[in-house]
Amino acid sequence: MSKLSRIRQLVARPEAQEGVAENLASSDAGFLVDYVPKVSFEPEMYQRDPVRESLTKLGKITGKRPAGFDFSIKLRGWGIGFMPRETPLLLACGHQVNTLKKISIGAVTGGPFKHGETITGGTSSAQGRVVIDTPNGITTLYYVSISGVFQSGEDVGGETSGASAQTSSAPLNAGYEIKPLSRNAPSLTMASYEDGLRKLLRGCRGSVKFNMKLGQPLTMDFKFMGVEAGVIDATMLSGIDYGTTVEPVILGAGFSVAGVSLNVGSIDIDIANKLSPRDKIDDPSGILSYMITDRQPAGNMDPEMLSVAEHDFHGSWLNNAKLPFDFSYGTAEGNKFRFYCPAIQYTKVEDADKEGIQIAQVAFDLTGSFSPGDDEYCILCL
C-alpha cells in the first residue's frame, strides 16, 4: 500500500539508561512538527573486494549504524505553569531547565545586578542566581533560587556587582529558564511513525537553531544523531495530546543590543553543538549513543544601519566589544518568551540592501563568563 509522506508523528522519550531504547507511548508525542521529519540511516558499508582472478565485487558488509533525525518545530507555550512541550528535545540538545522566580524591587544602587551573579537577602539570608542584568528603574528582579526564601521589605545584595535594592513583594513563580549545560545532557529514544512504519533511534542527542523572522512564529530547526534501532510495521499512535495553545507571532516584539533598539527583519541563533559517537565494541550497532562534545553558538541579524552616535556597529566589531542582546515576544502568560545573551560579540559587519534601505548584515558570537560558564544565553518561558 502506498504511504502518505505527511502522515507522520514525532515521538521522543528520555532514556533511563543511555543508549537503551525506551518503550514509546502517545504521551511521548504531541510535537507539532513544521515540515516532514526526516530520518537518515547512515550505516558504514564496507566493500568485500579481495584480490583474485576476477574484478567481480562480492558485496558489502554493514558496519556501525549511525542515524540522523532532522525536523523543525514552532516554539509555543503549554499554558501557565507548564514547560513548552519541546523541552525534552531542548534538554537533549545540551540545556538545563530551572524554575524562574521574580520579586519586586525598589531603586537599584551600585548596580546593575549582573546576569549570573549570586544575590543574598539581608534578613532571610536566602540566595538566588540573577537572570538578566537588572539596572536601576527596572522593578522586577528575575532569579533562580539557590537556597531559602526571600522576604518582602529586606535588602538584597549582589555578590559580584555590589548592587543592592529593597524587595517590595514576596517571590512569585515567573515560569522557566532554559540555559546551556556542558555535561550530562539526557539521551533520547526517538521514533518517526510514518503511515504504517516506525523508524526507531536510540542514544540520541542533538543541536538546535532558532530562527526569528518578523511576522512569523519562532522556528527551531533540530538536528539529532543517534543509533539505528530498527524499522518495523506499526500503526500510528492514538490519543495524542497536541495542546491547544497557538504559537505566538513575532510582532510587537522587544529587541535591543547594548540597550539600543534595532529595527530587524530576521535573527538566527545556531547553538552548533558538536555531536560525537560513543563507539562500543560489544554493541550490535557499534555505537552506544552520541555525545555533545563542544558548542559554538553564533548568530546573524539584519538591522538597519545607524549612525555611529546611535550604535557603532564597526567600532564594536573592531574593538571586540561585548554587548548584551535582549529579544522578547508574545503577550499571553504561559506563551511568552525572552532570549537574553549577556555578551554577544560582532564578528562581521557587511553592507547590505533591503528594498533601498541600508542594512548592516551582522554576524555575531555568543560568549559568556570564564567561570562558572554555561551562561552564553538563556531562554525565559514566561
Side-chain angles (χ1 to χ4, degrees):
M1 179 184 295
S2 61
K3 300 185 181 300
L4 299 179
S5 61
R6 291 188 59 83
I7 306 298
R8 300 197 180 197
Q9 297 166 331
L10 168 65
V11 191
R13 182 182 181 89
E15 293 175 340
Q17 182 177 344
E18 181 167 340
V20 177
E22 295 282 334
N23 294 321
L24 301 176
S26 58
S27 57
D28 303 314
F31 305 102
L32 291 181
V33 181
D34 193 42
Y35 65 83
V36 176
K38 182 179 180 181
V39 173
S40 301
F41 293 126
E42 302 169 4
E44 297 178 357
M45 303 298 292
Y46 293 94
Q47 178 68 59
R48 297 184 65 224
D49 192 18
V51 176
R52 60 195 196 287
E53 67 277 7
S54 170
L55 297 177
T56 299
K57 301 297 183 286
L58 300 180
K60 296 179 179 179
I61 300 173
T62 303
K64 293 191 296 185
R65 300 184 180 186
F69 201 174
D70 297 349
F71 51 89
S72 180
I73 295 178
K74 297 288 195 297
L75 179 60
R76 63 178 179 139
W78 206 252
I80 298 173
F82 292 92
M83 301 178 198
R85 183 67 186 88
E86 298 78 28
T87 301
L89 303 176
L90 291 170
L91 296 182
C93 289
H95 294 92
Q96 57 183 293
V97 61
N98 300 297
T99 298
L100 186 68
K101 299 282 190 177
K102 64 181 179 180
I103 194 167
S104 297
I105 56 172
V108 177
T109 60
F113 289 105
K114 299 299 292 182
H115 177 77
E117 75 169 328
T118 299
I119 52 172
T120 303
T123 303
S124 66
S125 298
Q127 289 192 315
R129 172 175 53 80
V130 173
V131 178
I132 300 177
D133 285 2
T134 308
N136 185 41
I138 302 298
T139 59
T140 298
L141 180 63
Y142 289 106
Y143 68 96
V144 171
S145 179
I146 296 174
S147 64
V149 179
F150 290 105
Q151 299 175 6
S152 179
E154 70 173 333
D155 290 331
V156 294
E159 183 179 90
T160 305
S161 66
S164 64
Q166 187 173 81
T167 62
S168 57
S169 73
L172 295 172
N173 287 336
Y176 296 94
E177 174 207 45
I178 297 173
K179 67 188 291 284
L181 180 69
S182 291
R183 295 183 61 84
N184 301 320
S187 61
L188 298 178
T189 295
M190 307 181 73
S192 178
Y193 282 75
E194 303 177 358
D195 197 14
L197 285 178
R198 188 198 70 181
K199 298 176 181 176
L200 189 68
L201 293 77
R202 57 176 175 84
C204 301
R205 291 186 176 93
S207 188
V208 60
K209 180 180 180 181
F210 301 97
N211 299 291
M212 313 164 197
K213 293 185 178 180
L214 181 63
Q216 300 180 21
L218 185 148
T219 300
M220 300 179 290
D221 294 336
F222 288 96
K223 291 184 176 295
F224 276 86
M225 290 298 296
V227 186
E228 178 270 328
V231 179
I232 64 171
D233 292 327
T235 58
M236 305 294 282
L237 297 176
S238 61
I240 295 174
D241 180 8
Y242 288 102
T244 58
T245 304
V246 177
E247 51 270 19
V249 171
I250 299 173
L251 290 172
F255 177 61
S256 66
V257 175
V260 177
S261 178
L262 301 178
N263 291 337
V264 297
S266 65
I267 308 167
D268 67 68
I269 294 177
D270 190 352
I271 304 309
N273 289 332
K274 180 180 179 181
L275 303 173
S276 302
R278 295 185 66 192
D279 291 346
K280 196 169 190 298
I281 199 167
D282 61 352
D283 189 285
S285 296
I287 304 171
L288 173 65
S289 63
Y290 272 76
M291 293 288 291
I292 299 170
T293 57
D294 199 4
R295 62 175 180 263
Q296 296 286 340
N300 297 276
M301 59 180 176
D302 62 350
E304 293 181 3
M305 179 58 77
L306 297 175
S307 68
V308 171
E310 291 173 301
H311 184 72
D312 190 356
F313 286 104
H314 293 86
S316 298
W317 170 28
L318 298 174
N319 291 302
N320 308 314
K322 302 291 182 66
L323 310 171
F325 168 111
D326 198 352
F327 169 75
S328 58
Y329 76 108
T331 58
E333 284 193 44
N335 201 28
K336 298 189 295 184
F337 301 95
R338 186 171 181 178
F339 285 70
Y340 182 77
C341 311
I344 68 168
Q345 182 177 13
Y346 294 160
T347 57
K348 186 72 172 178
V349 179
E350 293 186 295
D351 186 22
D353 175 88
K354 183 191 291 182
E355 300 186 38
I357 299 174
Q358 187 178 8
I359 299 299
Q361 191 65 50
V362 178
F364 57 90
D365 285 346
L366 280 61
T367 71
S369 66
F370 187 86
S371 179
D374 285 345
D375 55 2
E376 305 100 303
Y377 59 93
C378 63
I379 306 167
L380 305 189
C381 308
L382 304 169

